[in-house]
Amino acid sequence: MMEQLINTIQSFINLSPKEIDGIKLLFKNNSIQKGQFFLAEGQVCKQVGFITKGLMRYYINDNGEDKTYAFAQDGNFVCNYESFVPQTPSTKIIQAVEDCEVLQISFADLQIFYQSINQGERFGRLVIEQVFIQTLQDLSSFYTDTPEDRYEKFIKQHPDLQQRVSQYHIASYVGVKPQSLSRIRKRISRLK
């Protein structure tokens, strides 16, 4: 598990053996069962997680209706930075869609990471830049793409998730009701 995290960090920055040992002390193992929350609405996000196994979804509760806006799977970091950085209650929810194994680092330990790892702050900046770009792309897509286009992008970007995520959650992510997603899928399969 830890090796996957170290390899991911090293894809952004160089680490010395001493820094690798330090990282191993800062991240803690956690298991989150399917249906449990990494972050519930109203909680302060106190951890950044790295998923070594499993799948989570990000969603908001809009007057009792779940609206999925992102997924995080093996090899992804998971966090609500909007809550984590200022340490304020979250309006977003992060829930395990599958049983998950996660390496977590607390807000306080992340500050130690930034100070003790030579290029730690650079790593943090590069990860946040990726999150920011993905958020902007998702937002633009929601306003400019049709639901059919969003579904096609979803299956191109995440071909393995179709079997791992319920059609209900995919429909929510695309921005349609499950019945509409069924019609979209039929249209696409007829065109192939």
Side-chain angles (χ1 to χ4, degrees), residues 89-133:
S90 177
T91 58
K92 314 297 189 290
I93 303 160
I94 306 173
Q95 182 181 36
V97 175
E98 299 173 346
D99 290 347
C100 295
E101 296 298 324
V102 183
L103 293 167
Q104 295 181 178
I105 187 168
S106 69
F107 182 84
D109 284 345
L110 185 61
Q111 305 317 304
I112 293 169
F113 175 95
Y114 288 150
Q115 293 167 5
S116 64
I117 304 300
N118 187 32
Q119 297 179 33
E121 288 188 350
R122 180 175 189 270
F123 169 75
R125 178 182 56 80
L126 293 172
V127 169
I128 290 296
E129 284 175 357
Q130 283 188 342
V131 170
F132 182 69
I133 289 167

Side-chain angles (χ1 to χ4, degrees), residues 58-71:
Y58 291 75
Y59 69 99
I60 57 171
N61 175 353
D62 184 27
N63 294 321
E65 184 180 351
D66 292 357
K67 294 194 174 176
T68 301
Y69 65 91
F71 296 97

Side-chain angles (χ1 to χ4, degrees), residues 26 30-31 41 46 50 55 59 67 72 79 84 86 89 93 95 136 139 172 177 179 186 189:
L26 293 172
N30 189 20
S31 295
E41 186 175 17
K46 296 187 179 291
F50 179 79
L55 176 67
Y59 69 99
K67 294 194 174 176
C79 182
F84 182 77
I93 303 160
Q95 182 181 36
L136 290 177
L139 183 63
S172 174
K177 299 291 182 199
Q179 306 87 312
K186 285 178 187 170
S189 67

